């Protein structure tokens, strides 16, 4: 996906302290060329912030090229990123430019970078260091001047060295930007902006009073899917809106329908065999339990007692998670907790079916 943005404005909405801090960091580094790592749960605006950094940089006349690292098989990754020559593999009938070349003089955004195969991490690290790459099947090394912005909802530090290279982690994380989960204040502002935008695009009539009431109602709900889920809810509100009902009644109708359709009762579904990475499932469950209990404690000693572990074991676990003892109830720990919860989402139907018997 490629886009061209020429307007130097910041579309990223920041109301809460954590998002304001992230925006300030992004503004400070926008004019630099350093690689940047944006960390945060799904749907909090990582790509929007990356686009804003590009739009407010000296590279704005170049392309902003985005790649979802989780959407490609390892076999296609190298060709997509660095391109290929004719005959490089079966079906390669002509030369294809990779995203690195398309982003020359611009910005390459690598979403879900934690899903990148280890072999490709090595080649990406070489490109970041030297600015050179080899298209698949080529005998000629090429150059490209590209700024790389990566994003992830996973704890990359915990993935080192088993599934993520340590040197690449530090190369990308020169100045990491952490986006926390949406707070009610953020949700209210974003909802109002989304509602105004959708109403304008679709030709819906609305008022400041309705927008205010709608955004306040949205701020009282939780949005595991972040802004994408919130946008769907707002669109559904306008589609189902009946002017004979109050804003609250219209919101409740649309919210109930969305909940029923998108979150069906798993107890009525047949239990399917567990698929996927079982060790990863167990690790994520352990992370959720550890971080949730940590939020309820005042320090390492109390946490160790609650978990029936030694203080040293707790210190080791915190170090593995990239946390300090004074981070137990801070935004960093909350961000990791939200990320671990999201990682469990694919397993939720299976877990619920087990609990329901």
């Amino acid at each position: 996906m490629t886009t061209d943005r020429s307007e130097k404005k910041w579309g990223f909405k920041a109301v809460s302290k954590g998002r304001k801090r992230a925006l300030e960091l992004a503004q400070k580094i926008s004019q630099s060329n350093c690689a940047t790592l944006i960390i945060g749960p799904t749907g909090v605006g990582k790509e929007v912030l990356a686009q804003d950094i590009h739009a407010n940089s000296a590279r704005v006349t170049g392309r902003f090229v985005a790649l979802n690292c989780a959407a490609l098989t390892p076999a296609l990754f190298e060709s997509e990123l660095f391109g290929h020559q004719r005959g490089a593999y079966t079906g390669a009938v002509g030369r294809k430019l990779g995203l690195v070349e398309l982003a020359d003089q611009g910005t390459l955004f690598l979403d879900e970078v934690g899903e990148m195969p280890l072999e490709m991490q090595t080649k990406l690290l070489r490109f970041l260091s030297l600015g050179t790459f080899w298209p698949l099947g080529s005998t000629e090394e090429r150059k490209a001047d590209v700024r790389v912005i990566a994003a992830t909802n996973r704890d990359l530090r915990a993935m080192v060295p088993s599934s993520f290279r340590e040197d690449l982690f530090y190369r990308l994380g020169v100045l990491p930007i952490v986006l926390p989960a949406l707070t009610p204040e953020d949700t209210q502002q974003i909802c109002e902006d989304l509602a105004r935008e959708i109403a304008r695009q679709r030709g819906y009539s609305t008022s400041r009073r309705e927008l205010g009431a709608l955004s306040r109602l949205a701020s009282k709900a939780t949005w595991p899917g972040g802004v994408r889920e919130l946008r769907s809810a707002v669109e559904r509100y306008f589609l189902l809106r009946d002017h004979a009902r109050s804003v609250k009644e219209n919101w409740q109708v649309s919210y109930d329908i969305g909940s029923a359709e998108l979150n069906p009762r798993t107890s009525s579904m047949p239990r399917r065999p567990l698929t996927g990475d079982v060790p990863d499932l167990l690790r994520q469950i352990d992370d959720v339990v550890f971080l949730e209990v940590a939020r309820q404690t005042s320090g390492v000693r109390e946490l160790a007692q609650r978990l029936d572990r030694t203080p040293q074991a707790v210190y080791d676990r915190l170090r593995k998670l990239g946390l300090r003892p004074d981070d137990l109830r801070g935004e960093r720990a909350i961000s990791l907790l939200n990320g671990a919860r999201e990682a469990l989402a694919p397993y939720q139907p299976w877990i619920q079916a087990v609990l329901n018997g």
Side-chain angles (χ1 to χ4, degrees):
M1 167 183 153
T2 63
T3 58
D4 294 300
R5 289 178 53 144
S6 57
E7 293 184 34
K8 294 192 174 183
K9 61 181 182 180
W10 292 84
F12 181 81
K13 304 299 180 184
V15 178
S16 64
K17 183 179 179 180
R19 286 176 71 86
K20 284 182 177 179
R21 185 184 301 116
L23 179 57
E24 289 171 1
L25 284 175
Q27 290 171 335
K28 286 181 180 179
I29 66 171
S30 61
Q31 292 299 318
S32 75
N33 285 317
C34 68
T36 302
L37 178 63
I38 304 176
I39 306 166
T42 299
V44 294
K46 296 188 290 293
E47 185 167 353
V48 172
L49 189 60
Q51 289 178 328
D52 282 345
I53 293 172
H54 171 74
N56 288 273
S57 73
R59 295 176 175 273
V60 64
T61 55
R63 284 174 167 170
F64 177 89
V65 181
L67 171 65
N68 186 329
C69 297
L72 294 175
T73 64
L76 293 176
F77 214 107
E78 185 172 5
S79 173
E80 192 71 17
L81 198 58
F82 296 133
H84 63 248
Q85 296 294 106
R86 179 180 179 182
Y89 56 86
T90 303
V93 295
R95 183 191 171 203
K96 175 187 175 183
L97 294 180
L99 298 184
V100 162
E101 285 187 86
L102 292 176
D104 191 23
Q105 305 300 317
T107 301
L108 175 64
F109 176 63
L110 299 175
D111 197 12
E112 299 190 51
V113 70
E115 307 300 326
M116 181 178 288
L118 275 170
E119 182 182 354
M120 286 307 303
Q121 291 177 30
T122 303
K123 296 181 179 181
L124 175 62
L125 181 64
R126 174 182 172 82
F127 175 70
L128 287 172
S129 302
L130 304 175
T132 60
F133 63 96
W134 293 81
L136 195 62
S138 175
T139 57
E140 179 183 351
E141 190 175 40
R142 296 203 177 100
K143 286 189 175 184
D145 179 10
V146 175
R147 179 185 191 168
V148 173
I149 301 178
T152 182
N153 61 7
R154 303 186 65 180
D155 182 6
L156 297 186
R157 190 186 299 273
M159 296 168 61
V160 173
S162 60
S163 56
F164 203 84
R165 290 183 60 100
E166 184 176 24
D167 44 9
L168 179 58
F169 172 74
Y170 288 115
R171 185 74 191 217
L172 291 173
V174 174
L175 185 59
I177 299 176
V178 178
L179 295 185
L182 297 178
T183 66
E185 294 81 9
D186 294 317
T187 301
Q188 184 169 341
Q189 180 62 60
I190 293 171
C191 178
E192 186 169 336
D193 292 340
L194 287 174
R196 187 177 290 108
E197 174 191 335
I198 291 169
R200 183 179 65 252
Q201 291 176 346
R202 306 288 194 273
Y204 298 129
S205 62
T206 188
S207 65
R208 181 178 297 180
R209 182 178 179 181
E210 181 182 23
L211 293 176
L214 178 62
S215 61
R216 285 191 295 273
L217 289 166
S219 70
K220 297 176 182 178
T222 57
W223 304 99
V227 177
R228 296 183 187 91
E229 183 182 0
L230 180 58
R231 172 182 282 275
S232 295
V234 174
E235 288 185 320
R236 189 165 56 249
Y237 167 85
F238 281 114
L239 287 170
L240 300 175
R241 183 176 57 167
D242 184 340
H243 291 288
R245 295 192 295 250
S246 67
V247 174
K248 184 176 182 179
E249 290 170 335
N250 278 319
W251 172 256
Q252 194 62 51
V253 169
S254 63
Y255 187 82
D256 288 346
I257 289 178
S259 298
E261 293 298 322
L262 299 177
N263 300 289
R265 290 182 59 86
T266 54
S267 59
S268 62
M269 298 170 61
R271 186 190 304 177
R272 297 179 179 178
L274 174 62
T275 59
D277 190 340
V278 175
D280 183 63
L281 167 62
L282 296 175
R283 181 177 63 81
Q284 297 297 346
I285 291 175
D286 193 38
D287 284 347
V288 168
V289 173
F290 180 87
L291 292 166
E292 180 60 36
V293 174
R295 292 179 60 191
Q296 304 170 17
T297 58
S298 58
V300 169
R301 186 172 297 278
E302 182 184 351
L303 178 56
Q305 292 174 345
R306 291 281 303 276
L307 296 174
D308 193 23
R309 299 180 185 178
T310 65
Q312 185 58 51
V314 172
Y315 280 119
D316 291 342
R317 185 64 181 279
L318 290 173
R319 192 177 303 110
K320 182 179 179 181
L321 291 170
L323 296 173
R324 298 171 300 179
D326 55 0
D327 289 334
L328 287 180
R329 302 173 70 178
E331 291 181 356
R332 169 68 175 154
I334 293 174
S335 177
L336 289 176
L337 175 59
N338 289 330
R341 284 171 173 162
E342 289 174 9
L344 284 175
Y347 303 103
Q348 187 172 346
W350 183 84
I351 294 173
Q352 191 63 50
V354 171
L355 293 176
N356 290 338

